[in-house]
Amino acid sequence: RGGVGRGYGRVVRMAGPKVGDKPVEADEAEVVELDPMYGAECPVVITDAVREELLRERTFGELAMERFASTAEDVAMHIDRKYFKRKEDLQKMKLPRLVLLGTGWGAHAMVKIIDNFKYDVSVVSPTNFFLFTPMLASSSVGTVEFRSIIEPIRSSNELIEYYEASAYDIDYENKKVLCESVTLTDDEGQKRKFELPYDYLTIAVGASTNTFGTPGVAENAYFLKDINDARRLRRAIVDCFEKANLPETSEDERKRLLNFVVVGGGPTGCEFAAELRDFLKGDLTRYYPKLIGLVEVQLLQAGDSILLQFDAALQQNAIENFKSSGIQVVTGARVVELKPDRILLKDGREIKCGLAVWAAGNGTRPLIQHLIDKIPEQAGAPGRLLVDEWLRVKGADDVYCLGDCSEMTSGRLPATAQVAGQQGAYMARLLNKQFLLHCQIPVSKEAKVGEQANVTDLAPTFQFLSLGILAYIGRNKAVMQLEAGETKVGLAGLLAFLGWRSVYLTKQVSFRNRVLVLADWVKTR
């Protein structure tokens, strides 16, 4: 895989190798040289039948059983690491260094599962905590507190090293990550830079907000990507009411200030609009009774409907619930410019507003775009690094990528926390089992030399296990689409809301977070 000449491994095709006494034709087998890290060259034979079995799409039941068995192994290792191992023990060991960029869903899953007694793990990220992003909308209006949905990354795994910094480049030829501190500066006021060598590198930096180059969005819109965005948004909502409450504010200006616009009809935009409506009609009604009649919430969507990931019936249910709760859904509304006090649409309409929240899609991080431009094999990549079935970055040895900043060459996956979390867990398990990832098809280091490989000797490909999607739509209602293979079951209303809360509660990453979120929900009833 590209490392020939540097001794990183290669793929060798040989005519007529033998499996026992039976010769195998050259077009039916592949001889894979094993990773030099583990010693001498060690070829195995992979027949077409084995390859097809490995690459076939596994059923929902097969994937579910795989994940269940893997989770049991993860729990056992986690208990062992937490209660029976110490960081001091690692200092006596010389281990290959795994550098992990990011602290989001994919990175956090890796940190939780990686075996620290097989890898020296270093995490690089400007944020030193994991954030439960699906509840950012709730935190922006105070339904839950910020501290309830974060976990310090060092608490996730006490045996890792963490560096509060940003990676701005990767020297994949010499296996170094180029970083800059987010807090320290040199004598000239420039951010301090340092290099971090690696044996293996996983990129999980996520995505930025996509403004689509729309004028004024970066300067005037509010976003919902991180804790700071949610804090700014909470403060801005209250500021709009305080300005509107001043005696010298005109009636027209009050109406403008109290018109809240959300751009983007995906789950993030819809959930924020729903949470905002609940906040306005609940808490703020008590504090600003004279103003609440002027409040409007508008949801703008460029397409013909909202929540396009859901079935049509659930989309319609969400639209009807929004309309009955006072949220105006405007479809076919393409924003062409965002000014400080108004939004301009392509059809010539103009919407005056107090604030606008932009939730219209994912963009490309500067590091990812730099790597796409830098690596020849990434030419034409759609704003995400191209990876194969084992999440290996095309054109860069020992570099892996997962989550919203990656795209599998076998097909695009949804940009969701569910996908990123599964990819992170998969990558950690692949490394824990020490598959020889330099091989074209990764092989177990326990594979017998010179013999025909079985499927169990080869690393399974990553396949996404979709369990469903859900979204809160306000007034203690939600839409939920459960999935099991080709089977889909849709729920809406109070039952879906209870399911939504149950999922979000159980998916919290620690017992502490579950208790805090539950307490927040009780307090805001």
Side-chain angles (χ1 to χ4, degrees), residues 69-89:
S70 297
T71 300
E73 294 175 2
D74 298 339
V75 170
M77 188 188 67
H78 181 74
I79 292 173
D80 181 57
R81 181 176 67 205
K82 187 171 182 64
Y83 297 106
F84 301 103
K85 299 291 176 63
R86 298 178 306 164
K87 197 166 187 176
E88 291 76 13
D89 298 333

Side-chain angles (χ1 to χ4, degrees), residues 411-427:
R412 176 174 293 188
L413 294 173
T416 63
Q418 191 178 173
V419 171
Q422 289 186 27
Q423 287 183 330
Y426 165 85
M427 196 70 244

Side-chain angles (χ1 to χ4, degrees), residues 33-108:
E33 179 184 304
L34 298 188
D35 195 331
M37 175 181 174
Y38 296 95
E41 296 180 2
C42 183
V44 296
V45 178
I46 302 175
T47 64
D48 283 347
V50 171
R51 181 197 296 270
E52 290 175 6
E53 174 64 17
L54 178 71
L55 298 180
R56 74 174 176 84
E57 185 175 347
R58 304 192 288 284
T59 65
F60 177 86
E62 288 173 328
L63 288 174
M65 289 300 296
E66 283 180 18
R67 303 294 160 82
F68 179 79
S70 297
T71 300
E73 294 175 2
D74 298 339
V75 170
M77 188 188 67
H78 181 74
I79 292 173
D80 181 57
R81 181 176 67 205
K82 187 171 182 64
Y83 297 106
F84 301 103
K85 299 291 176 63
R86 298 178 306 164
K87 197 166 187 176
E88 291 76 13
D89 298 333
L90 295 177
Q91 298 174 355
K92 307 172 186 177
M93 306 174 69
K94 185 174 178 60
L95 301 170
R97 172 177 276 184
L98 168 65
V99 175
L100 179 55
L101 305 183
T103 50
W105 282 90
H108 181 263

Side-chain angles (χ1 to χ4, degrees), residues 273-292:
E275 293 280 6
L276 178 61
R277 178 264 168 206
D278 290 351
F279 179 53
L280 297 176
K281 299 295 184 182
D283 293 355
L284 295 189
T285 299
R286 301 198 304 269
Y287 303 135
Y288 306 97
K290 296 179 181 179
L291 298 178
I292 208 66

Side-chain angles (χ1 to χ4, degrees), residues 76-381:
M77 188 188 67
H78 181 74
I79 292 173
D80 181 57
R81 181 176 67 205
K82 187 171 182 64
Y83 297 106
F84 301 103
K85 299 291 176 63
R86 298 178 306 164
K87 197 166 187 176
E88 291 76 13
D89 298 333
L90 295 177
Q91 298 174 355
K92 307 172 186 177
M93 306 174 69
K94 185 174 178 60
L95 301 170
R97 172 177 276 184
L98 168 65
V99 175
L100 179 55
L101 305 183
T103 50
W105 282 90
H108 181 263
M110 279 199 72
V111 165
K112 283 280 194 181
I113 294 173
I114 197 68
D115 189 341
N116 294 90
F117 285 81
K118 291 179 180 176
Y119 300 94
D120 176 12
V121 182
S122 298
V123 177
V124 178
S125 175
T127 54
N128 62 3
F129 55 84
F130 165 76
L131 170 66
F132 193 86
T133 49
M135 297 193 75
L136 262 181
S138 298
S139 67
S140 67
V141 297
T143 304
V144 297
E145 293 300 326
F146 301 121
R147 66 188 180 95
S148 303
I149 57 172
I150 64 173
E151 181 184 52
I153 197 65
R154 290 186 176 95
S155 297
S156 304
N157 184 337
E158 297 178 359
L159 302 184
I160 65 167
E161 287 291 342
Y162 167 75
Y163 301 100
E164 191 175 44
S166 296
Y168 64 89
D169 198 1
I170 295 168
D171 182 356
Y172 61 91
E173 295 283 347
N174 297 305
K175 305 183 83 167
K176 295 179 180 178
V177 181
L178 281 62
C179 307
E180 59 183 16
S181 171
V182 297
T183 55
L184 294 177
T185 57
D186 57 24
D187 295 337
E188 298 178 355
Q190 301 296 316
K191 292 180 179 179
R192 288 194 182 179
K193 293 179 169 53
F194 62 94
E195 295 181 351
L196 200 60
Y198 67 85
D199 295 296
Y200 300 96
L201 172 67
T202 300
I203 303 171
V205 296
S208 61
T209 301
N210 193 350
T211 66
F212 302 98
T214 307
V217 172
E219 298 81 7
N220 301 315
Y222 291 84
F223 305 102
L224 262 181
K225 275 291 184 182
D226 56 38
I227 283 287
N228 291 330
D229 290 338
R231 286 195 177 104
R232 287 180 60 237
L233 191 49
R234 186 190 291 192
R235 180 69 258 175
I237 294 169
V238 175
D239 284 346
C240 285
F241 274 87
E242 293 295 354
K243 291 175 183 177
N245 195 49
L246 293 174
E248 67 270 19
T249 304
S250 67
E251 193 71 7
D252 288 342
E253 181 65 2
R254 284 194 177 102
K255 289 180 179 179
R256 182 192 71 79
L257 286 167
L258 299 178
N259 185 29
F260 302 95
V261 179
V262 182
V263 182
T268 300
C270 289
E271 288 200 342
F272 175 73
E275 293 280 6
L276 178 61
R277 178 264 168 206
D278 290 351
F279 179 53
L280 297 176
K281 299 295 184 182
D283 293 355
L284 295 189
T285 299
R286 301 198 304 269
Y287 303 135
Y288 306 97
K290 296 179 181 179
L291 298 178
I292 208 66
L294 301 176
V295 172
E296 288 189 17
V297 179
Q298 297 187 56
L299 178 64
L300 307 185
Q301 168 70 338
D304 296 330
S305 187
I306 61 174
L307 297 174
L308 299 179
Q309 303 92 330
F310 292 78
D311 287 340
L314 294 178
Q315 295 175 27
Q316 189 59 37
N317 183 282
I319 291 174
E320 291 173 358
N321 185 74
F322 280 156
K323 289 181 177 178
S324 63
S325 63
I327 299 174
Q328 183 181 354
V329 178
V330 184
T331 56
R334 186 173 298 277
V335 177
V336 295
E337 186 175 359
L338 181 57
K339 294 186 176 183
D341 62 346
R342 66 194 64 201
I343 297 173
L344 306 182
L345 303 182
K346 188 176 181 180
D347 59 10
R349 284 181 291 174
E350 188 175 284
I351 301 175
K352 295 181 179 180
C353 61
L355 65 81
V357 178
W358 189 271
N362 291 331
T364 305
R365 297 279 187 193
L367 173 65
I368 301 302
Q369 189 58 57
H370 177 68
L371 293 175
I372 291 173
D373 297 336
K374 183 178 181 178
I375 302 173
E377 290 84 350
Q378 293 290 329

